[in-house]
Amino acid sequence: MKITVIGTGYVGLVSGVCFSDLGNHVTCVDNNPAKLDILKQHKVPFYEPGLEERLVRSAVAGRLTFTDSIDAAIQDSEIIFSAVGTPQTADGSADLTAVYAVAHAVCKAYKELGCNTHKVYVNKSTVPVGTGDIIAGIRDDYGLTQDQLSILSNPEFLREGTAVYDFYHPDRIVLGSSCEKALSKCSELYDPLYRSDTPIVKTTLKTAELSKYASNAFLATKISFINEMSNLCELTGSDVKDLAKIMGMDGRIGRYFLHPGPGYGGSCFPKDTQAIIHTADQLGYDLKVVKAVEAVNERQKLHIMTHLTAVFSSLQGKTIALLGLAFKPNTDDTRDASALVIIDALLAAGATVRAFDPEVPYLPEIKSDQVMYATDSYDAVTGADAVLLVTEWNMFRELDLTRLKSEMKQPYFFDLRNVYAPEKLEQAGFTAYVIGRQLIETTIAADT
Ligand code: UDX
């Protein structure tokens, strides 16, 4: 099939590359010349495992091209994906400027090119309920009909770091439209993914749009819930790892997304929870659960500060090392990363911060002279009073703990991701905090 993908950000590029990998002819459109330059050299402008080799393969085979021209791209395409960004505005709502600009550009091009075949306009960006109907209105204003350009919503559920895997192994593919022809054309595109049992759900435009927000809000709820249980474990002397295991063995609860940590971050959960709250507020409905989920998440990002200040009566002049800056492993993304909030709090308390992340060389959000960026984990902890394991990169799972301790001024290890068993840290000579499992006895804490 010939398809166009407009927007080569995270979602657009992963989708475009993977569709071309399945044998389709894909044209990716972007209006950013710098990004296009990189893509035309067959490079991926961000870190995502498995993406670049597929990009190269399809581009070399002639199935994947990059352009800045919507007109040239849509002429022969049967399906046009819009995957442009929907950044958050000050009031928490999604900024739809690019979404509507693309809708106008595609309708205009369809008309001016004199296209006469049926095309499907697929919105893949995360947009508030009702956006698809507004796009249908834009199409009508151009004098085009559903038989010429039908509108369909196909939200993405790709996780950063495993996006290529997720593309090929989706739990479900959601297609929302009132046009049967559009629904069957898009099903056909996704068919090769699951030959025997394609998990495609066909529904209305509005339900498809809401499904993305509802899913992300629910996942965020699971995280905030287990974070609260973890805090309760700390207060009661229970073990959150066992607790999550026991809860997860109940099929109705499920074992995923029950890992406590320093709060969720990234480009989706913080933005999507805000956006769904905003949608509900606009309709006069108080979305209480999701509001609480957000509040718990904000509190959780600073939870570690309570423990640090219990151990060190003052952080003034202390050196704190962070292992991990990205909001999760296998990505260089630091959007809404908990590390940013923790670093701000440490700096405000007078601490010196050293940090290492295998894919984040530095944080543009924080003044360059305020954090010392190390070359590896051992360099990061040199002279440190405490080390915080913030992101659970695989390389932090197999640290040489004895060597790590020997580089430090004081042996305080704070595991914010439940990577290490408390006994293992203690055997290496650390005084250890492990989230939801083990606290540091403040009575034995040194404050040298
Ligand atoms: C998420 C959704 O999973 C995906 O379906 C959606 O399309 C985009 O948003 P992503 O943001 O890439 O994907 O990452 P995810 O793996 O879901 O993690 C999000 C955040 O939650 C991370 O900060 C992670 O550390 C945190 N998290 C996740 C936890 O703290 N505990 C968990 O159990 C799971």
Side-chain angles (χ1 to χ4, degrees):
M1 224 182 263
K2 284 192 173 163
I3 65 174
T4 299
V5 179
I6 302 170
T8 59
Y10 197 79
V11 174
L13 191 60
V14 171
S15 307
V17 168
C18 293
F19 280 130
S20 65
D21 196 39
L22 288 174
N24 299 290
H25 281 82
V26 180
T27 309
C28 288
V29 185
D30 207 291
N31 60 6
N32 179 335
K35 209 186 252 183
L36 276 180
D37 256 10
I38 299 174
L39 293 169
K40 283 179 179 171
Q41 291 167 39
H42 300 170
K43 299 239 179 317
V44 173
F46 48 82
Y47 178 76
E48 184 60 39
L51 192 57
E52 195 157 285
E53 60 252 40
R54 285 179 170 80
L55 185 152
V56 172
R57 201 156 65 206
S58 293
V60 169
R63 289 193 308 271
L64 179 64
T65 50
F66 302 96
T67 176
D68 61 357
S69 159
I70 288 188
D71 292 23
I74 74 153
Q75 185 134 37
D76 299 323
S77 286
E78 291 174 69
I79 303 179
I80 302 152
F81 284 92
S82 167
V84 289
T86 53
Q88 197 175 341
T89 61
D91 66 4
S93 62
D95 179 349
L96 299 175
T97 314
V99 169
Y100 294 137
V102 167
H104 277 284
V106 170
C107 293
K108 189 162 170 278
Y110 188 103
K111 204 157 180 183
E112 288 179 0
L113 292 167
C115 299
N116 52 15
T117 53
H118 173 243
K119 296 184 193 295
V120 188
Y121 184 98
V122 182
N123 181 59
K124 230 182 192 327
S125 309
T126 302
V127 293
V129 191
T131 305
D133 288 344
I134 295 174
I135 293 173
I138 292 172
R139 174 204 57 204
D140 297 347
D141 290 345
Y142 278 86
L144 301 172
T145 64
Q146 174 158 289
D147 285 339
Q148 293 172 299
L149 191 67
S150 35
I151 315 299
L152 185 142
S153 163
N154 170 220
E156 58 81 24
F157 299 98
L158 308 172
R159 290 165 300 173
E160 290 189 27
T162 50
V164 172
Y165 176 89
D166 289 351
F167 182 91
Y168 292 106
H169 305 89
D171 289 332
R172 74 297 209 193
I173 293 155
V174 179
L175 304 175
S177 181
S178 54
C179 173
E180 277 303 323
K181 219 154 69 167
L183 289 168
S184 67
K185 201 172 266 182
C186 287
S187 309
E188 209 184 305
L189 180 67
Y190 280 107
D191 243 11
L193 290 185
Y194 275 82
R195 287 227 169 270
S196 51
D197 184 20
T198 314
I200 290 182
V201 182
K202 293 178 186 168
T203 181
T204 64
L205 249 178
K206 283 182 178 164
T207 310
E209 288 168 342
L210 187 57
S211 70
K212 169 66 187 270
Y213 286 108
S215 301
N216 274 354
F218 188 78
L219 290 171
T221 304
K222 278 188 99 170
I223 300 169
S224 276
F225 186 87
I226 199 65
N227 280 336
E228 286 219 289
M229 289 307 114
S230 171
N231 297 344
L232 203 53
C233 281
E234 291 180 359
L235 293 168
T236 57
S238 316
D239 184 316
V240 76
K241 206 164 179 177
D242 288 347
L243 184 80
K245 189 173 172 187
I246 296 163
M247 287 172 63
M249 287 167 95
D250 184 328
R252 294 167 302 175
I253 296 174
R255 64 194 171 94
Y256 299 106
F257 273 68
L258 288 179
H259 303 292
Y264 58 76
S267 64
C268 285
F269 290 167
K271 179 164 83 81
D272 293 354
T273 43
Q274 288 253 322
I276 196 172
I277 288 169
H278 187 263
T279 298
D281 277 347
Q282 273 190 323
L283 296 167
Y285 186 72
D286 187 15
L287 212 53
K288 288 187 176 172
V289 171
V290 189
K291 283 182 181 170
V293 164
E294 270 206 318
V296 168
N297 196 54
E298 289 315 301
R299 185 178 65 183
Q300 189 68 13
K301 289 180 183 177
L302 288 171
H303 180 65
I304 189 59
M305 294 305 290
T306 317
H307 292 294
L308 282 170
T309 42
V311 171
F312 304 104
S313 51
S314 161
L315 286 167
Q316 189 70 42
K318 294 282 177 296
T319 299
I320 310 295
L322 269 75
L323 297 183
L325 297 170
F327 81 97
K328 66 170 195 175
N330 296 322
T331 177
D332 57 2
D333 199 338
T334 57
R335 280 176 287 179
D336 270 311
S338 304
L340 296 171
V341 179
I342 295 171
I343 291 175
D344 276 343
L346 289 170
L347 293 172
T352 298
V353 177
R354 299 172 67 87
F356 171 68
D357 186 291
E359 289 298 330
V360 183
Y362 70 100
L363 294 166
E365 298 89 341
I366 292 185
K367 271 204 223 128
S368 58
D369 58 344
Q370 291 194 298
V371 176
M372 187 276 170
Y373 297 100
T375 51
D376 62 27
S377 307
Y378 306 98
D379 181 25
V381 303
T382 302
D385 294 283
V387 55
L388 316 186
L389 200 168
V390 180
T391 314
E392 68 278 34
W393 283 95
N394 272 342
M395 65 155 56
F396 300 149
R397 292 178 184 277
E398 293 295 337
L399 291 167
D400 177 343
L401 294 172
T402 312
R403 180 175 163 208
L404 200 77
K405 182 182 158 271
S406 72
E407 302 288 353
M408 294 176 64
K409 186 171 164 208
Q410 296 200 73
Y412 288 107
F413 195 114
F414 291 83
D415 179 353
L416 279 58
R417 291 285 184 179
N418 244 326
V419 167
Y420 286 98
E423 311 79 67
K424 193 164 176 190
L425 294 171
E426 278 167 359
Q427 272 160 22
F430 280 108
T431 304
Y433 160 86
V434 179
I435 189 166
R437 301 186 75 191
Q438 171 152 306
L439 302 183
I440 294 175
E441 283 290 339
T442 50
T443 45
I444 56 158
D447 189 22
T448 52

